[in-house]
Amino acid sequence: MKEDHVDRILGQWRTERPDLDVEPMGLLGRLARLATYLGREVEKTFLELGLTSASFDVLAALRRSGAPYQLSPGDLLATMMITSGTMTNRIDQLEKAGLVERLTNPEDRRSVLIALKPEGLDLVERAVTAHVANQHRLTAFLEPDERVAFDAILRKYLLALE
Amino acid sequence: MKEDHVDRILGQWRTERPDLDVEPMGLLGRLARLATYLGREVEKTFLELGLTSASFDVLAALRRSGAPYQLSPGDLLATMMITSGTMTNRIDQLEKAGLVERLTNPEDRRSVLIALKPEGLDLVERAVTAHVANQHRLTAFLEPDERVAFDAILRKYLLALE
DNA sequence: TTGAAGTATCTCGATTTCAAGATAATATCA
DNA sequence: TGATATTATCTTGAAATCGAGATACTTCAA
């Protein structure tokens, strides 16, 4: 099988540190590299619409929650692997861009509701359509049966870790 | 099969946007999430030694290149998915920490050689040993045959993209 | 009722990264 | 040779993120 970038790294380690079993480094190295590449490809689609993966994630969470497209920062936080400070910043940017607004939550005044504005709703509808089309393109590198096997392993691995 | 975080997201989209085939979103979403989790687990090991994944990557590239453990910033850049400005900053930090030094390259005065200092060599030897042990722990969530299948798909996917 | 504990969000400062372009040395070739 | 293109690295300013802690409100229990 053709040697790739990660194989060369493993070969160097096997020469320099033959005491180490670097087998797992191949899998984890490829996984990290692949995720970075795919993440950048995904980002390109959002950039064309004036979004980033980060801002899309917030808009998408609001959109898929269903009408009236409102969630608290805490709700949003629960679905993403970021800190509360980062979420505050993301919401600030989206608010500045006129895509969402902060509403006071009458039921709990510690809390806030982030609501999709019509401009945000319109944008995220177009963004998710383009994003899904792009995802089809990016997964087309694998055969259908490979995708099924891949997804099954990813799911198992994630469940074991989470 | 047990429903995971990504399944819930797909379920929401299928309700809200039944026009979209969100199948690929499951695979790509799990891949991104898994890479983030594993990356954080990897980071913890380095943190105990006063390193980050970023600084380890540079030290490790120097170490595995073999004696005399010297590479140019350009050489280092070729193995990592970062910009030249980021590399300059990483080398600055490592130099400040006394782990590497910049040597003038007599053969090309545009260039510079980054050399592992004894302190850097000692640290990276310990770091890579701990890192590989940690990688064994992190890949033990999968069965040997799953790891083989997983790695084969990752390799194919990466080759198709790179 | 009131004080303590808990919860939700935001603030702050530090760090890392990137994109774009500056700087300096080397290579090319008319 | 001299002008131009190329290469290698660094600089700069902007943006995203994090960890730690501040602030404000709510819940609980004595």
Side-chain angles (χ1 to χ4, degrees), chain B residues 104-117:
Chain B
T104 60
N105 183 342
E107 291 175 8
D108 185 342
R109 278 186 301 175
R110 289 171 301 185
S111 184
V112 165
L113 284 177
I114 311 304
L116 262 188
K117 294 178 69 174

Side-chain angles (χ1 to χ4, degrees), chain B residues 16-44:
Chain B
E16 293 291 322
R17 286 292 301 266
D19 60 308
L20 297 177
D21 171 12
V22 292
E23 187 76 39
M25 192 184 282
L27 187 151
L28 293 174
R30 287 190 180 94
L31 179 62
R33 245 181 130 77
L34 180 60
T36 301
Y37 269 112
L38 289 171
R40 287 180 185 177
E41 286 300 315
V42 164
E43 194 82 42
K44 287 180 192 167

Side-chain angles (χ1 to χ4, degrees), chain A residues 1-7 9 12-13 16-17 20-22 24-28 30-38 40-41 56 60 63-67 69 78-82 125 128-129 131-132 135-136 138-139 141-143 146-147 149-151 153-162, chain B residues 1-7 9 12-13 16-17 20-22 24-28 30-38 40-41 56 60 63-67 69 78-82 125 128-129 131-132 135-136 138-139 141-143 146-147 149-151 153-162:
Chain A
M1 195 174 275
K2 193 167 176 302
E3 187 179 62
D4 69 4
H5 178 86
V6 173
D7 286 325
I9 290 176
Q12 288 188 308
W13 279 124
E16 293 291 322
R17 286 291 301 268
L20 297 177
D21 171 12
V22 291
M25 193 185 281
L27 188 151
L28 293 173
R30 286 189 181 95
L31 179 62
R33 251 183 124 75
L34 180 61
T36 301
Y37 270 113
L38 288 172
R40 288 180 185 177
E41 285 300 316
F56 172 79
R63 173 62 186 86
R64 71 175 185 260
S65 75
Y69 311 125
T79 74
M80 296 170 211
M81 301 173 71
I82 60 173
E125 294 288 25
V128 72
T129 301
H131 177 46
V132 167
Q135 289 185 315
H136 277 270
L138 290 171
T139 51
F141 292 104
L142 298 180
E143 302 300 324
E146 289 174 322
R147 290 201 288 270
F150 195 33
D151 195 43
I153 294 173
L154 288 170
R155 175 200 294 272
K156 173 178 173 177
Y157 207 159
L158 257 185
L159 275 173
L161 278 177
E162 282 196 320
Chain B
M1 194 175 273
K2 194 169 174 302
E3 186 178 64
D4 69 3
H5 178 85
V6 172
D7 285 325
I9 290 175
Q12 288 187 309
W13 280 124
E16 293 291 322
R17 286 292 301 266
L20 297 177
D21 171 12
V22 292
M25 192 184 282
L27 187 151
L28 293 174
R30 287 190 180 94
L31 179 62
R33 245 181 130 77
L34 180 60
T36 301
Y37 269 112
L38 289 171
R40 287 180 185 177
E41 286 300 315
F56 173 80
R63 172 62 187 84
R64 70 175 185 262
S65 76
Y69 311 125
T79 73
M80 296 171 212
M81 302 173 69
I82 60 173
E125 293 288 24
V128 73
T129 301
H131 176 47
V132 168
Q135 289 186 316
H136 277 271
L138 291 171
T139 50
F141 293 103
L142 298 180
E143 303 301 324
E146 289 174 321
R147 290 201 288 271
F150 195 33
D151 195 44
I153 294 174
L154 289 171
R155 175 198 294 273
K156 173 179 173 178
Y157 207 159
L158 258 184
L159 276 173
L161 277 177
E162 283 196 320

Side-chain angles (χ1 to χ4, degrees), chain B residues 79-118:
Chain B
T79 73
M80 296 171 212
M81 302 173 69
I82 60 173
T83 64
S84 63
T86 299
M87 181 56 74
T88 297
N89 183 55
R90 287 189 184 182
I91 295 166
D92 286 347
Q93 302 313 313
L94 290 170
E95 197 171 34
K96 203 175 297 175
L99 300 173
V100 307
E101 58 188 339
R102 281 182 167 92
L103 308 178
T104 60
N105 183 342
E107 291 175 8
D108 185 342
R109 278 186 301 175
R110 289 171 301 185
S111 184
V112 165
L113 284 177
I114 311 304
L116 262 188
K117 294 178 69 174

